Amino acid sequence: MQVISFNEMYISELQEARSFEAQLIRALPDMIAKAGDPDLKQALKTHQSETRGHLEHVTEILRRHEASLEEHKDHSMERLLSEADKWADMIEDRDQRDAGIIASAQRIEHYEMAVYGTLAAWAKQLGLGEDEKDLRAILTEEQAADKKLTMLAEKEINPSAT
């Protein structure tokens, strides 16, 4: 696909976001199952619910633009999830595995924050106020999830893993 306008670039990136949210929804149950710490399990379950909402919001934005919902497979998320799965399977110690799961989850969160920050900025540039509002709301949830993971890592998980 050849992108010839800023708006087309924006729509294409929204389709990528839809793809990575769908991939994450499929991957989170396995991450939850591999996590040992109850607080980590709960944080991942909460994010699973939020991720479903993110997918719905991105789908709605695409519908507002009458854009295709066809997923463009986001290969970056595919790779991040593959590495997260490999990492969790390599570690036998529960506390160390939980620390690895948090590290993987935060890499994923940071990727999502980068994409949603960019999309919100692009929506603003394009004068798409409703889109910008929705994308900033998703970005805020991603940032909160990242902060929760940092708190869990620093106060509970990492000290137990050392």
Side-chain angles (χ1 to χ4, degrees), residues 9-146:
M9 191 166 69
Y10 171 70
I11 296 299
S12 180
E13 191 67 9
L14 281 168
Q15 290 166 330
E16 293 283 330
R18 187 174 187 281
S19 170
F20 72 61
E21 294 293 8
Q23 289 178 52
L24 190 53
I25 287 169
R26 289 188 297 271
L28 275 166
D30 192 46
M31 289 177 79
I32 293 165
K34 290 177 182 175
D37 182 85
D39 292 333
L40 176 56
K41 280 185 178 289
Q42 185 55 52
L44 293 171
K45 286 178 184 176
T46 298
H47 195 61
Q48 182 180 36
S49 175
E50 291 171 349
T51 300
R52 285 188 186 103
H54 300 166
L55 179 63
E56 290 171 16
H57 287 303
V58 172
T59 298
E60 180 55 37
I61 293 169
L62 286 165
R63 284 190 175 130
R64 276 198 299 258
H65 293 280
E66 299 178 358
S68 170
L69 299 181
E70 177 182 321
E71 292 184 20
H72 293 278
K73 188 158 199 162
D74 184 282
H75 295 288
S76 297
M77 180 61 77
E78 181 180 46
R79 189 70 184 141
L80 286 169
L81 292 170
S82 173
E83 287 298 310
D85 192 48
K86 182 178 87 175
W87 183 249
D89 288 342
M90 289 179 5
I91 304 168
E92 290 185 31
D93 180 82
R94 183 195 106 151
D95 294 329
Q96 291 174 6
R97 185 176 51 250
D98 284 350
I101 288 170
I102 288 175
S104 294
Q106 287 194 290
R107 277 192 285 281
I108 291 165
E109 289 304 325
H110 287 236
Y111 175 64
E112 289 181 297
M113 289 186 296
V115 171
Y116 285 117
T118 297
L119 281 168
W122 288 358
K124 181 177 182 177
Q125 183 65 37
L126 290 164
L128 303 169
E130 188 175 1
D131 288 11
E132 180 188 3
K133 181 179 146 259
D134 290 344
L135 293 163
R136 290 206 186 278
I138 294 171
L139 178 60
T140 298
E141 284 187 353
E142 300 294 2
Q143 291 167 330
D146 181 59

Side-chain angles (χ1 to χ4, degrees), residues 37 102 148-160:
D37 182 85
I102 288 175
K148 174 69 175 177
L149 290 167
T150 296
M151 189 268 315
L152 282 171
E154 291 176 348
K155 294 192 182 339
E156 297 177 37
I157 307 295
N158 293 350
S160 296

